[in-house]
Amino acid sequence: MDPLILITGASRGIGAATARLAAARGYAVGVNFVRDEAAARGICDQIEMADGRALLLPGDVSNEEHVLRMFDQLDAFDANLTALVNNAGVVGRIGPFSGYDSERLKRTFDINIYGAFLCARDTVKRLSTTSGGAGGAIVNVSSAAARIGSPNEFVDYAASKAAIDAMTLGLAKEYGAQGIRVNSVRPGIVDTDIHASAGAPDRVEKFSSMVPMKRAGSPEEVARVILWLLSDEASYTTGAFVDISGGR
Ligand code: NAP
């Protein structure tokens, strides 16, 4: 059976680039999205037109019923789940910490932390060799924000990514002997729509000069590191944080 990978938030940006590359490397790909079905269908079409296999997976990762339904769909697909990329993530609007309202905080923590935990939980249940699985790998998409703290921008987002890094460490240790490797990637400024959603469509341009390499990264540059961490090339790498940030 083909190896199957679940990529959350795969309708655009880093998730979409990872979905395309995973398909090119031989995975059947579960393409999750929450809102933009047309974009997610477009990614599935691109994969299938290149002779790959894709499964469209609608669902809000912060809604447990949706997550359980997604995993039911994965179980019913004719492929063998071996990998998860916890990529779905959101950021609140840039602004001072004192102005964060509870709705913003809840959304950030629900999607970035709770959603990632739910997807990781339902993946390890299936992959653990102790529960009869064949092992596999998880990559959590964290952020350079976890070590920078993102003052004056989005400290809540930075904290949510630090939580993901703690999950990476804990799961790597808990499941290392059960055939599951767990790592984080920590992108810096990557050219995607997420900056516009933070109210700063010019953020890539504005911050590129602060990056030692003097440019933003592309989603494809992040996808290549994710696929490396999932592959046997990284067979002794677990509990690691890989910065993909042009030296920042
Ligand atoms: P993006 O272009 O805004 O894409 C976000 C993706 O997440 C979309 O596919 C979106 O689906 C999905 N999503 C949002 N909320 C969701 C939910 N509740 N359930 C399921 N899917 C959901 O973002 P991106 O820049 O590619 O970011 C991807 C990851 O990289 C995030 O975790 C982000 O924090 C991290 N990251 C990004 C950067 C950067 O500079 N871009 C840097 C560091 C880390 P819909 O299309 O359906 O809305």
Side-chain angles (χ1 to χ4, degrees):
M1 278 213 280
D2 291 331
L4 174 62
I5 185 170
L6 166 60
I7 303 174
T8 64
S11 59
R12 56 196 153 90
I14 293 168
T18 305
R20 282 190 292 261
L21 189 60
R25 300 272 170 92
Y27 285 96
V29 185
V31 175
N32 162 251
F33 69 98
V34 66
R35 188 185 48 84
D36 194 345
E37 177 164 351
R41 274 193 191 281
I43 300 302
C44 291
D45 289 347
Q46 287 174 27
I47 288 172
E48 284 163 1
M49 273 157 46
D51 289 332
R53 296 176 66 207
L55 173 65
L56 189 68
L57 292 172
D60 177 347
V61 293
S62 68
N63 180 319
E64 187 169 23
E65 271 178 37
H66 291 195
V67 171
L68 294 174
R69 192 180 62 211
M70 279 201 292
F71 277 86
D72 284 346
Q73 282 183 263
L74 288 162
D75 289 342
F77 198 62
D78 179 28
N80 184 27
L81 187 70
T82 63
L84 163 70
V85 181
N86 253 329
N87 168 78
V90 293
V91 67
R93 287 183 83 78
I94 287 172
F97 183 79
S98 57
Y100 299 175
D101 61 23
S102 58
E103 193 183 327
R104 167 204 173 116
L105 293 173
K106 192 166 171 355
R107 175 172 179 262
T108 302
F109 299 147
D110 275 358
I111 297 173
N112 295 6
I113 305 176
Y114 184 56
F117 270 69
L118 291 176
C119 291
R121 179 197 67 189
D122 283 33
T123 298
V124 298
K125 277 184 194 171
R126 288 161 173 81
L127 267 49
S128 164
T129 51
T130 305
S131 339
I138 295 174
V139 172
N140 293 317
V141 181
S142 173
S143 170
R147 58 180 165 73
I148 293 168
S150 304
N152 307 305
E153 286 201 307
F154 27 66
V155 175
D156 51 347
Y157 171 82
S160 74
K161 295 302 186 177
I164 291 305
D165 285 348
M167 175 171 74
T168 291
L169 276 181
L171 294 189
K173 291 174 181 173
E174 188 164 337
Y175 287 94
Q178 298 181 40
I180 307 173
R181 294 182 302 102
V182 186
N183 294 290
S184 281
V185 291
R186 293 197 296 204
I189 302 267
V190 180
D191 195 359
T192 71
D193 295 344
I194 203 169
H195 309 289
S197 73
D202 60 344
R203 194 164 173 269
V204 164
E205 206 175 293
K206 199 168 144 195
F207 283 95
S208 290
S209 63
M210 291 164 62
V211 177
M213 288 180 70
K214 301 294 173 206
R215 66 172 178 85
S218 69
E220 289 73 22
E221 287 175 305
V222 180
R224 285 197 288 272
V225 179
I226 293 173
L227 265 296
W228 174 74
L229 283 168
L230 294 173
S231 77
D232 284 344
E233 296 293 311
S235 54
Y236 199 51
T237 302
T238 195
F241 308 135
V242 181
D243 290 327
I244 314 170
S245 54
R248 183 155 180 256

